[in-house]
Amino acid sequence: MTINDFLTKARKEKIDLSDYFDLCQFCNDNELEFDSGASRLCVIFPKEKKVLKIPKSGCSIDYCAREVHNFKLAQEYKVEKVLLPIALLCEVNGCKVYCQPMYTSSMGGMNRKERDKLNEKIKDLPSSKITKKIQRGVFDGKWRSLDRYWTARMVQLYGKKFAMSFETWTHTAKVNDLHNSNIGWLDRKPIILDYAGYFENGNGVNPFDLSI
């Protein structure tokens, strides 16, 4: 099934794409690859090398719209090359549907052989001063340091000035959720696949002003 087929059928059957159980069942019935995070639902189309991302019902904001906003900010800081671009594709039965390219693997999904190859490329950079500074200087670096191997590869490919701008961008965009499932690789280059941040508390209220 293609993306167009998926959207057409979902419209016809009036599927609530923002509902976890409805979308999961729809994907199972149509043999589609489905995934879910805390704030978004995903349908993966490997042949088209694209992922559809849909804001999950029950969240206080549209986190996909946050990503669109944060990507534009990244362009202002000239650091967008480490972000997978995302765009609003369409609306289906009242649900906004966004589209993003597929990535090669997440940081957390790397196997030992892949990590060993990465270590060979970056050598001593993971323990360098600039790597440690960026790791701990990102928006939530005090609570969750950005992976040092990913950070070192970014510094190696794009330089210290780029890395410093990237650190500043995370503060401006309030990107606080850069764990190893949200960062990864595309053709051996470091990318972030989820850069919306996460701001839900027990009452469904955001602790920051996230108006866009």
Side-chain angles (χ1 to χ4, degrees):
M1 180 179 283
T2 66
I3 289 176
N4 284 337
D5 292 339
F6 166 82
L7 296 172
T8 299
K9 191 169 185 180
R11 282 193 183 97
K12 185 177 180 180
E13 297 185 14
K14 295 182 169 49
I15 303 298
D16 181 358
L17 298 181
S18 69
D19 182 86
Y20 175 92
F21 297 102
D22 284 359
L23 183 55
C24 182
Q25 185 62 57
F26 183 72
C27 288
N28 286 339
D29 291 344
N30 291 280
E31 299 181 341
L32 294 168
E33 190 174 346
F34 171 78
D35 201 358
S36 173
S39 61
R40 276 150 295 179
L41 307 174
C42 299
V43 186
I44 303 159
F45 295 84
K47 289 184 179 180
E48 296 179 70
K49 296 184 178 181
K50 292 181 180 178
V51 177
L52 297 186
K53 298 174 80 169
I54 301 150
K56 185 188 287 186
S57 60
C59 289
S60 61
I61 62 171
D62 179 344
Y63 282 90
C64 291
R66 283 295 306 168
E67 285 188 286
V68 172
H69 171 74
N70 288 346
F71 188 85
K72 291 177 181 177
L73 283 177
Q75 290 176 313
E76 293 177 17
Y77 284 91
K78 302 187 186 306
V79 296
E80 72 275 9
K81 66 177 68 176
V82 294
L83 309 183
L84 281 182
I86 185 171
L88 178 63
L89 179 64
C90 62
E91 193 167 313
V92 176
N93 304 327
C95 301
K96 291 182 178 179
V97 179
Y98 297 78
C99 190
Q100 191 175 54
M102 282 184 66
Y103 54 95
T104 305
S105 70
S106 68
M107 191 70 204
M110 290 181 75
N111 59 40
R112 181 66 178 271
K113 186 177 180 180
E114 291 170 330
R115 189 174 282 272
D116 287 344
K117 285 183 179 179
L118 175 62
N119 291 347
E120 290 175 10
K121 288 180 181 293
I122 57 180
K123 298 181 179 178
D124 297 328
L125 266 174
S127 57
S128 69
K129 288 183 179 179
I130 182 64
T131 297
K132 290 180 179 179
K133 182 189 182 306
I134 302 303
Q135 266 190 288
R136 296 165 187 168
V138 293
F139 185 57
D140 66 344
K142 292 180 181 178
W143 299 276
R144 179 194 290 115
S145 292
L146 189 59
D147 185 273
R148 63 177 179 152
Y149 296 100
W150 188 95
T151 307
R153 184 63 169 153
M154 176 181 68
V155 172
Q156 184 184 54
L157 288 175
Y158 306 126
K160 294 181 181 179
K161 185 177 179 181
F162 179 96
M164 297 291 286
S165 294
F166 170 79
E167 178 188 335
T168 303
W169 167 79
T170 67
H171 287 265
T172 304
K174 297 183 174 68
V175 180
N176 69 341
D177 202 27
L178 296 177
H179 54 74
N180 280 5
S181 292
N182 285 344
I183 63 174
W185 309 95
L186 178 63
D187 300 329
R188 299 182 180 179
K189 293 181 180 179
I191 51 90
I192 304 175
L193 48 130
D194 181 346
Y195 43 90
Y198 187 69
F199 305 97
E200 305 296 314
N201 65 20
N203 299 316
V205 177
N206 293 307
F208 296 100
D209 177 12
L210 297 176
S211 55
I212 56 176

